[in-house]
Amino acid sequence: MDALGTSIFSLTIIFAATTLGSALVFFFRKNFSDKVGNIIIGLASGIMISSSIFGLLLPSMEEANKSSYLPSYLSFIPTVTGFILGGLILYLMDKLIPHLHLSSNEEEGPRSSLSRNAKFFFAVTIHNIPEGISIGLACGLALANPNDASHIGAALALAIGIAIQNFPEGAAVSIPLLEEGVSKPKAFLLGAASGIVEPIFGLLTVFISSYLGVTLPYLLAIAAGAMIYVTIDELLPEARKGNYVHYGLWSFMIGFAIMMVLEMAL
């Protein structure tokens, strides 16, 4: 698959996986048990952390080392700066956008008259944005280096990894809405819609990637920092429910390993 085909496939598969996962709402009558929930969220967390490291931070370091505007002993600056900035951006979004985490019933952000469903939708959308940007950056790198199979493979691996975690994530969005009194068709549409920001932000990032220049290492690290922040802040605590903590822990390990395999294989 060439760079263009990889980009089209990557932007399509991440949304398709969320939509398919959301469709599971038609086969369930209630939310996942703590055991199943821990496994799903743990797997997604492992993939998110692993893809942030192998698909974003390492390429950020490589791009920074190639840069001629910084001496080699200062090449860490773009990656470290971007990583911290990515976390700060997500922290500010947490504080500025009203949203709700249904699993903990905890509201964040400013007070708002928005419905619970809308707040939960915003919560999921917030952490899907950096995933879309990360795919866009990886595809942008592949398009900028069409003869470099490593960039194409990295973009493909990142997209497949995020798609794998988007499938259960789509279900984790739509199914809990049933207990909030939302109809199955509406819960499915909300779950699918929560993932539409990924290809949108991914496509926008692909279009502007050719103009990024020396900022590319920063942006790769920003996406990684944002993904790691949201994983630690939202996903990992939800993978430790009840008496099934080790289910979440080992599924995290498996998710991390799956992403490593994808990175090495592709």
Side-chain angles (χ1 to χ4, degrees):
M1 193 180 299
D2 62 11
L4 179 59
T6 296
S7 299
I8 294 172
F9 174 80
S10 298
L11 293 170
T12 301
I13 193 176
I14 54 176
F15 178 61
T18 303
T19 302
L20 288 173
S22 299
L24 292 179
V25 73
F26 295 109
F27 303 96
F28 286 81
R29 295 183 178 179
K30 60 181 182 178
N31 199 0
F32 297 120
S33 66
D34 286 348
K35 182 188 293 184
V36 174
N38 286 3
I39 292 172
I40 290 174
I41 301 300
L43 185 72
S45 301
I47 291 173
M48 288 274 281
I49 295 292
S50 187
S51 60
S52 298
I53 294 171
F54 298 109
L56 297 170
L57 285 177
L58 291 182
S60 172
M61 294 175 187
E62 291 173 3
E63 291 298 313
N65 283 326
K66 294 177 186 176
S67 299
S68 58
Y69 74 98
L70 279 176
S72 59
Y73 62 88
L74 293 178
S75 61
F76 66 89
I77 289 178
T79 302
V80 172
T81 303
F83 180 76
I84 298 300
L85 186 57
L88 286 173
I89 290 172
L90 261 292
Y91 174 78
L92 289 174
M93 292 177 72
D94 266 348
K95 297 300 180 184
L96 296 175
I97 299 175
H99 58 284
L100 172 72
H101 302 287
L102 284 184
S103 61
S104 61
N105 206 31
E106 178 184 350
E107 294 192 25
E108 292 186 23
R111 291 184 177 274
S112 170
S113 59
L114 290 172
S115 67
R116 285 171 55 84
N117 295 336
K119 290 178 180 179
F120 181 50
F121 177 81
F122 279 129
V124 178
T125 302
I126 286 171
H127 89 249
N128 280 343
I129 291 174
E131 292 179 23
I133 292 173
S134 67
I135 292 294
L137 289 170
C139 292
L141 268 175
L143 289 168
N145 301 275
N147 297 319
D148 189 337
S150 65
H151 286 301
I152 294 174
L156 193 58
L158 184 63
I160 293 173
I162 289 179
I164 290 172
Q165 70 97 21
N166 276 357
F167 179 79
E169 184 180 84
V173 172
S174 61
I175 293 174
L177 291 175
L178 291 179
E179 295 185 355
E180 295 294 311
V182 177
S183 67
K184 287 188 175 184
K186 186 176 180 180
F188 163 71
L189 290 175
L190 285 171
S194 70
I196 193 63
V197 296
E198 290 188 9
I200 289 175
F201 275 83
L203 190 60
L204 289 172
T205 307
V206 169
F207 281 141
I208 66 172
S209 61
S210 59
Y211 304 101
L212 298 179
V214 297
T215 64
L216 184 57
Y218 291 93
L219 293 174
L220 287 165
I222 286 172
M227 287 174 64
I228 290 176
Y229 178 95
V230 77
T231 302
I232 295 173
D233 181 45
E234 296 182 17
L235 299 185
L236 285 178
E238 295 181 17
R240 300 177 61 85
K241 294 178 186 174
N243 297 318
Y244 306 103
V245 172
H246 286 88
Y247 284 84
L249 190 156
W250 279 107
S251 61
F252 174 92
M253 299 286 286
I254 292 170
F256 196 98
I258 287 173
M259 195 64 210
M260 279 198 295
V261 171
L262 287 173
E263 287 288 342
M264 296 177 71
L266 299 175

